Amino acid sequence: MIRGIAGVGTLCLCAAMASAGPVSIGFEGVPEGVAPPEMAEDGYRIVTRDAMISGPGKSGDGSDGPNEIEGAMGGRGAIAILRDGPFTFVSLDWQAESGVPEVVAEGYLGPRLVARERFAARGARFVTFAAGALKGRVIDRLILYPQRDGRGMGALDRVILDDAPGHAPAS
């Protein structure tokens, strides 16, 4: 009996450890068009405002699947990525069509702004931006503002997140 309980406990621990580590949020599982106000992916909750999902026919490189997410025309799009436990922001993939559109990333721990940074791609290209001011900073909410610059637009293809050092993922 004790062996059985210990075996089940070991399996649960191994399952929890297997889910730890970097996660790639690719805004998958939703149809092309207006982004749903809330969706879940890889243990994170994603809340959107004035955002659109571009499917395989419009998305760029598709590094994490066929979908991208961008701000809607005439609105100030926002994407919040939340989890019950702390995490860190690692990088994001940004597809620019033209101009110098930017994405602003804000990391929060509870109500406190931990750090803010801006990423801008010049001209039409696909680029991965590594975290700068947010690198290694413990957060529980990441808010992204993908914006147009009047001459062009950009879209998020994926966001890489990781567990905060010393914190197991929330179950």
Side-chain angles (χ1 to χ4, degrees):
M1 174 85 166
I2 292 175
R3 271 187 171 178
I5 292 171
V8 169
T10 302
L11 285 174
C12 290
L13 179 60
C14 289
M17 289 172 57
S19 66
V23 168
S24 179
I25 304 292
F27 312 102
E28 301 305 318
V30 294
E32 185 172 357
V34 176
E38 191 168 321
M39 54 188 147
E41 189 172 334
D42 295 327
Y44 289 83
R45 186 168 59 105
I46 303 164
V47 179
T48 69
R49 179 190 74 215
D50 290 333
M52 302 292 292
I53 299 287
S54 296
K58 294 182 182 176
S59 65
D61 155 285
S63 65
D64 191 37
N67 282 3
E68 292 180 343
I69 193 166
E70 59 196 329
M73 293 292 284
R76 182 158 163 74
I79 296 103
I81 302 174
L82 310 103
R83 188 172 79 171
D84 289 337
F87 60 92
T88 62
F89 167 61
V90 177
S91 66
L92 61 84
D93 290 351
W94 180 247
Q95 175 71 39
E97 293 182 3
S98 61
V100 190
E102 69 178 14
V103 60
V104 175
E106 295 179 343
Y108 291 84
L109 185 58
R112 184 176 63 86
L113 175 65
V114 172
R116 173 184 296 126
E117 53 190 307
R118 295 180 188 284
F119 306 105
R122 301 196 184 289
R125 67 188 192 126
F126 181 88
V127 63
T128 296
F129 291 111
L134 281 165
K135 182 177 182 175
R137 305 291 297 268
V138 176
I139 58 177
D140 59 12
R141 180 173 30 132
L142 177 67
I143 301 179
L144 303 165
Y145 301 98
Q147 302 303 321
R148 306 164 194 279
D149 76 343
R151 294 179 299 143
M153 56 186 283
L156 290 165
D157 184 56
R158 75 174 171 172
V159 178
I160 305 294
L161 307 170
D162 202 354
D163 296 321
H167 294 8
S171 53

